[in-house]
Amino acid sequence: MVSKSKKEIRVRIAPSPTGYFHIGTARTALFNYLFARQNGGVFILRIEDTDLERSDKKFEEDIFDGLKWLGLEWDEGPVIDTQSQKSRQGRGSPEAAKVKSQNYIGKYGPYRQTERLDIYEKYINQLLDKNLAYYCFCSKEDLEAERQAMMTQGLAPKYSGRCRTLKPEEIQEKLHSNTSRIIRLKMPESKITFKDLIRGSISFDTGLIGDIAIAKDTRTPLYNFAVVIDDYEMKISHVIRGEDHVANTPKQIAIQKALDLPQPHYAHLPLILDSDRHKMSKRFSAASLKEYREEGYLPQAMINFMALLGWHSSPEQMQELGFSPDREIFNLDELVRFFNLKRVQKAGAIFNIDKLNWLNAQYLKFLKDKDLAELLKVKNVKIIALVRDRMKKISDFQELAGSLLNPVDYSFELLIWKDSPKEVILDNLKESLRIFSATLAVDFNQESLNKTIGLLAEQRGKGEVFWPIRAALSGKKNSPGPLEIAEAIGKKETIKRIETAIKKLSN
Ligand code: GLU
């Protein structure tokens, strides 16, 4: 039997580079990515940069950095190779083109709306020619007065449609005289209903929306218009995006209808809420992915955490597979396997930083010492092994191990155990130095040192021997044990630090 050919799954993430890559947008990227991967589909990155005033290359870079860090590679776009880079350079600044291409993850660059103006223009002209859109020359002041008047009458404000009936000569004259203008869609008065894959059926009365602006002029499309054209041209099958776009959907469907374009499926993801159940704001938690990256969270933990912002695994499925029914730890591959758009909740997703911290600690535990060393760019794996259990975040490493890697200055008092006399401590350090020096480098490990230094401690008192060694080796009040540190930093460095301590006490 020939199977019915299934429509290809094609999804996109369409960030506007008007701020640092937002956690919510990163989650949208993840859900789109998972949906594409589990359906053998295509995941597209489209930079929505038509708002020239607010768009900034630095935010664009941050989107690339973020996706790269998370490992969410997109599957399509302008090909990056020396050839295309050259042609890019022809159009823009050479430096910019070079830097940008370094930040892409795979073979492709992103689609950028500002590079697609010809496409939008074609469709805007179509609507104008068919009289389904029209030029509006109303001034900002007129529109504001209209708005106020409607509001005082208790009506929801919308454009009156005043310019709908301008005569062709009037339009031409105003266009020639450079009167400021926008292009509006003639919104039919009807009901638009769409089935949201997460939220169910949603209806809007377009009569309440009025004639929306779709472009500033034929080469300057506005958000709703550009999205519709791109989703169509890019053959997007499913629009998966944040709930804040629900209200845009009827506008976009109206544009599709006017142009006779097919309608994609829609799925609107729940808002991300702060622990006080308000929309996530900078006041309570860092809202950009960059901040978490810089704080020292692992990308694996962030991926897992974001997946749980609105989605939970199916307890039955988990149990069938022999996992705990409330399993929450999933790596990217497992998410591709288990994620299900149908299980995304409607209610807002609470951003729980404790959960992120917990997940991060779990993923840190999964890392091998040598992988962690690579991540931290530290050569001494033994030092990593010493402190890793106390790390919650990558950024904790410096605090825990900084002074083990590079000795810090400290005052001689740190070396004194309780109220032992200075001379006793000095003598113990000298004797320890003698033992350390006499120990062969091959035997310079905890086990052997425990026999020799350990014996000294038994004879002279644990605190009186171990404390000053530990303080001398770590330069800090709190640290791993003295012999562990000695083994980790090695014979030469141990001797050097003990000598420094002896000097401090002798002064
Ligand atoms: N550019 C929009 C944003 O940054 C997303 C548009 C969409 O997903 O349809 O929120």
Side-chain angles (χ1 to χ4, degrees), residues 12-18 25 28 46 48 113 223 227 231 239-242 244-245 252:
R12 83 307 195 268
I13 166 81
S16 306
T18 52
T25 319
T28 302
R46 180 170 83 218
E48 305 211 317
Q113 288 190 326
Y223 160 70
V227 162
D231 286 344
V239 171
I240 305 171
R241 60 184 173 191
D244 42 333
H245 286 292
Q252 294 174 10

Side-chain angles (χ1 to χ4, degrees), residues 471-505:
L473 298 186
S474 70
K476 287 172 80 179
K477 240 194 193 128
N478 298 306
S479 74
L483 302 185
E484 292 172 291
I485 305 179
E487 177 179 342
I489 63 177
K491 180 172 172 177
K492 220 170 109 194
E493 188 61 27
T494 300
I495 289 175
K496 212 165 112 194
R497 293 188 195 184
I498 300 287
E499 282 171 349
T500 307
I502 290 173
K503 245 183 242 149
K504 270 188 199 284
L505 282 178

Side-chain angles (χ1 to χ4, degrees), residues 119-294:
I119 302 175
Y120 312 123
E121 186 170 35
K122 186 181 93 185
Y123 287 97
I124 294 175
N125 281 329
Q126 247 180 54
L127 288 180
L128 286 170
D129 292 347
K130 288 191 184 154
N131 210 10
L132 294 170
Y134 62 94
Y135 280 103
C136 166
F137 301 98
C138 293
S139 68
K140 276 206 180 93
E141 296 73 33
D142 287 350
L143 291 173
E144 186 50 32
E146 209 177 272
R147 242 175 70 86
Q148 292 300 337
M150 290 193 76
M151 296 210 316
T152 40
Q153 286 176 55
L155 300 170
K158 65 168 189 183
Y159 178 59
S160 65
R162 196 181 333 168
C163 290
R164 263 197 192 205
T165 50
L166 287 179
K167 298 201 176 66
E169 314 82 71
E170 282 176 283
I171 297 171
Q172 284 315 315
E173 183 214 300
K174 286 189 195 295
L175 284 177
H176 283 126
S177 70
N178 260 344
T179 314
S180 75
R181 82 286 309 256
I182 54 167
I183 299 169
R184 289 185 186 274
L185 181 79
K186 277 192 182 166
M187 186 69 81
E189 299 222 351
S190 65
K191 197 167 145 189
I192 285 185
T193 301
F194 66 94
K195 194 174 152 270
D196 189 282
L197 295 174
I198 295 165
R199 321 186 73 77
S201 174
I202 304 180
S203 294
F204 285 90
D205 179 353
T206 54
L208 295 174
I209 300 174
D211 295 346
I212 54 164
I214 55 171
K216 287 189 178 163
D217 59 57
T218 55
R219 287 188 71 78
T220 318
L222 292 170
Y223 160 70
N224 280 306
F225 189 78
V227 162
V228 167
I229 302 307
D230 283 338
D231 286 344
Y232 169 67
E233 288 273 333
M234 295 174 186
K235 300 191 174 59
I236 298 302
S237 62
H238 292 71
V239 171
I240 305 171
R241 60 184 173 191
E243 191 193 304
D244 42 333
H245 286 292
V246 167
N248 286 322
T249 308
K251 300 176 189 170
Q252 294 174 10
I253 292 175
I255 298 170
Q256 286 155 7
K257 287 190 191 269
L259 286 165
D260 208 11
L261 305 178
Q263 187 179 315
H265 295 287
Y266 288 101
H268 287 93
L269 308 174
L271 286 180
I272 300 178
L273 306 176
D274 269 319
S275 48
D276 68 346
R277 299 194 156 262
H278 283 101
K279 193 173 165 179
M280 191 155 150
S281 72
K282 288 231 172 255
R283 216 148 50 91
F284 290 99
S285 33
S288 70
L289 189 65
K290 180 182 159 67
E291 288 164 86
Y292 295 92
R293 206 165 71 211
E294 288 170 354

Side-chain angles (χ1 to χ4, degrees), residues 376-417:
L376 290 161
K377 300 190 180 65
V378 166
K379 288 202 184 73
N380 192 329
V381 178
K382 281 187 177 170
I383 290 189
I384 305 252
L386 277 190
V387 300
R388 60 172 301 157
D389 285 350
R390 283 188 285 155
M391 283 171 66
K392 290 208 170 64
K393 286 178 279 188
I394 287 294
S395 54
D396 294 338
F397 182 73
Q398 196 46 38
E399 172 66 26
L400 292 168
S403 74
L404 303 184
L405 287 167
N406 301 299
V408 289
D409 196 24
Y410 56 90
S411 121
F412 81 91
E413 283 114 342
L414 184 74
L415 298 162
I416 309 290
W417 166 250

